[in-house]
Amino acid sequence: MERLIYQMFILGTGDALDSALAKGLGGVIFFTKDIQTKEQFQTLIEDIKSKAIIPPFLSIDQEGGRVERTENIHPRYLSPRMAFQKGEEFLHKQSKEIALELKDYGINLNFAPCADVNTNSNNPIIGERSFSSNADDVIKGINIVSDEYRTNGIIPCLKHFPGHGDADRDSHLTLPCIDLPLDVMEKIHIRPFREKADMIMVAHLHCTCFDDEVIPASLSKNAVGYLRNNIGYNGVVISDDMVMKGVQDFGAVDACVMAILAGVDMFIYRNADKETIDIIQGVLNRAEKNEQLKRRILESNERIKKLKQRYLL
């Protein structure tokens, strides 16, 4: 059970990373601080792979533009919006370049593309990370990027379900509220998440169409249940970074347990430190006394294993 639970976590680098890899950690996420030169980064990844008892997801946020992690090595790519506006041929070309670069480093999972439809001009967190304010254009963009990633051996991850595009606050700093009726959400913001997806990241957003009580979609049985039951998605569902303020008020272990029971399979924590290891241990302690939680952990591990097998990890 300890190994199964560790498989559900993707951690950043830190003092506790080696011990977590030895217990079956599911993956590692890299940030700018981890990437100084190509050779240094390749060596870091090889070292991590050698210490992992189960082949890990080796992941990054490399969207292009504002959100990418290789600025110490080369200038930024164009943002998704700018690349999309330059035409489909350009978007294919840039997406392939990103995929081949990541593959060369040893990365196998990119938390991109953004499937958010940026309908709020005052959105402080999405903006040019979205292909467009039009759902059809977003669908076109995510399919081009995802296809290029898959073709070149990188797992794409659609984010941020059920759509971060109408937010007027940053979920890194607070819990935004999306106060739109379900039919509007379905017509615009949820539509891109009906496309083919290997992995979907669920956001720390309170969506009133799913829950009257204030709860992030990432912990919500109604929101994740919609993804599973209404859309019929049976791939890996991963949380946005669990250290973000949008989810902090729910208690670290409680939040993970709520999310697992809701249907979330994996969690991102940007730090591999004692505090994060204590959270994983806390989930293990709960699982030992909760049969429903145990069953959900087994289901999640089946999904994780299938995805790793599909990409020959």
Side-chain angles (χ1 to χ4, degrees):
M1 185 52 61
E2 179 182 70
R3 188 173 294 186
L4 293 174
I5 290 171
Y6 266 88
Q7 270 291 287
M8 299 174 72
F9 286 80
I10 292 179
L11 307 185
T13 56
D15 294 341
L17 182 59
D18 287 359
S19 61
L21 290 166
K23 291 180 177 179
L25 184 67
V28 182
I29 182 170
F30 301 101
F31 295 93
T32 304
K33 66 181 174 61
D34 303 306
I35 308 169
Q36 300 304 318
T37 68
K38 175 183 172 180
E39 294 74 19
Q40 165 268 329
F41 190 38
Q42 287 172 325
T43 301
L44 173 62
I45 285 180
E46 285 305 314
D47 181 60
I48 287 168
K49 286 165 72 174
S50 72
K51 291 172 177 171
I53 60 167
I54 300 172
F57 290 120
L58 296 160
S59 65
I60 197 167
D61 291 287
Q62 190 81 344
E63 300 170 13
R66 197 167 81 224
V67 179
E68 59 179 83
R69 309 303 184 199
T70 50
E71 52 260 49
N72 290 328
I73 297 178
H74 58 70
R76 293 174 186 265
Y77 294 98
L78 290 188
S79 69
R81 174 77 55 85
M82 293 293 290
F84 184 80
Q85 287 175 351
K86 284 179 78 74
E88 290 184 29
E89 185 180 345
F90 182 89
L91 185 58
H92 272 287
K93 180 173 175 290
Q94 176 169 288
S95 302
K96 183 177 181 180
E97 283 178 16
I98 290 173
L100 291 174
E101 179 189 8
L102 297 182
K103 190 74 174 173
D104 191 32
Y105 296 138
I107 294 288
N108 52 44
L109 166 62
N110 192 7
F111 294 121
C114 284
D116 306 294
V117 184
N118 196 69
T119 53
N120 187 339
S121 59
N122 295 317
N123 195 320
I125 188 62
I126 302 300
E128 288 199 356
R129 299 171 64 192
S130 166
F131 294 103
S132 175
S133 58
N134 177 282
D136 291 324
D137 287 343
V138 169
I139 288 168
K140 192 180 293 182
I142 63 173
N143 283 330
I144 288 171
V145 173
S146 296
D147 287 348
E148 287 292 350
Y149 288 178
R150 288 189 196 101
T151 299
N152 293 286
I154 300 294
I155 303 167
C157 174
L158 297 187
K159 62 186 186 185
H160 310 77
F161 180 83
H164 215 306
D166 202 61
D168 61 0
R169 288 178 171 78
D170 182 349
S171 52
H172 293 86
L173 308 175
T174 187
L175 179 62
C177 177
I178 304 292
D179 189 17
L180 294 173
L182 182 59
D183 62 332
V184 174
M185 287 295 291
E186 288 176 326
K187 184 179 175 184
I188 300 171
H189 298 282
I190 290 173
R191 262 184 66 212
F193 293 97
R194 294 183 176 275
E195 299 301 300
K196 180 182 177 184
D198 298 275
M199 180 182 279
I200 291 178
M201 181 185 291
V202 62
H204 306 314
L205 299 166
H206 171 223
C207 296
T208 58
C209 66
F210 291 124
D211 295 285
D212 292 328
E213 66 170 313
V214 178
I215 181 174
S218 51
L219 313 185
S220 164
K221 287 184 179 180
N222 295 330
V224 182
Y226 182 98
L227 182 59
R228 295 291 191 202
N229 303 321
N230 293 61
I231 294 178
Y233 178 70
N234 196 36
V236 174
V237 173
I238 189 166
S239 76
D240 208 339
D241 194 336
M242 293 294 285
V243 303
M244 291 163 63
K245 293 295 183 186
V247 75
Q248 284 288 289
D249 292 342
F250 293 82
V253 175
D254 286 341
C256 288
V257 170
M258 287 172 68
I260 294 168
L261 292 175
V264 172
D265 302 308
M266 298 194 79
F267 301 95
I268 298 171
Y269 278 86
R270 65 174 52 234
N271 302 311
D273 54 18
K274 183 183 182 301
E275 186 179 349
T276 308
I277 299 304
D278 287 345
I279 294 166
I280 298 173
Q281 185 61 44
V283 175
L284 174 60
N285 294 343
R286 297 281 188 92
E288 287 170 347
K289 306 166 191 167
N290 185 326
E291 286 302 317
Q292 185 187 4
L293 183 60
K294 208 177 283 187
R295 283 197 302 274
R296 274 289 306 114
I297 289 164
L298 290 168
E299 288 171 14
S300 290
N301 271 263
E302 282 303 307
R303 293 190 186 107
I304 293 164
K305 188 165 68 175
K306 280 179 184 173
L307 182 55
K308 288 187 172 182
Q309 287 172 341
R310 194 182 313 144
Y311 281 84
L312 306 177
L313 306 193

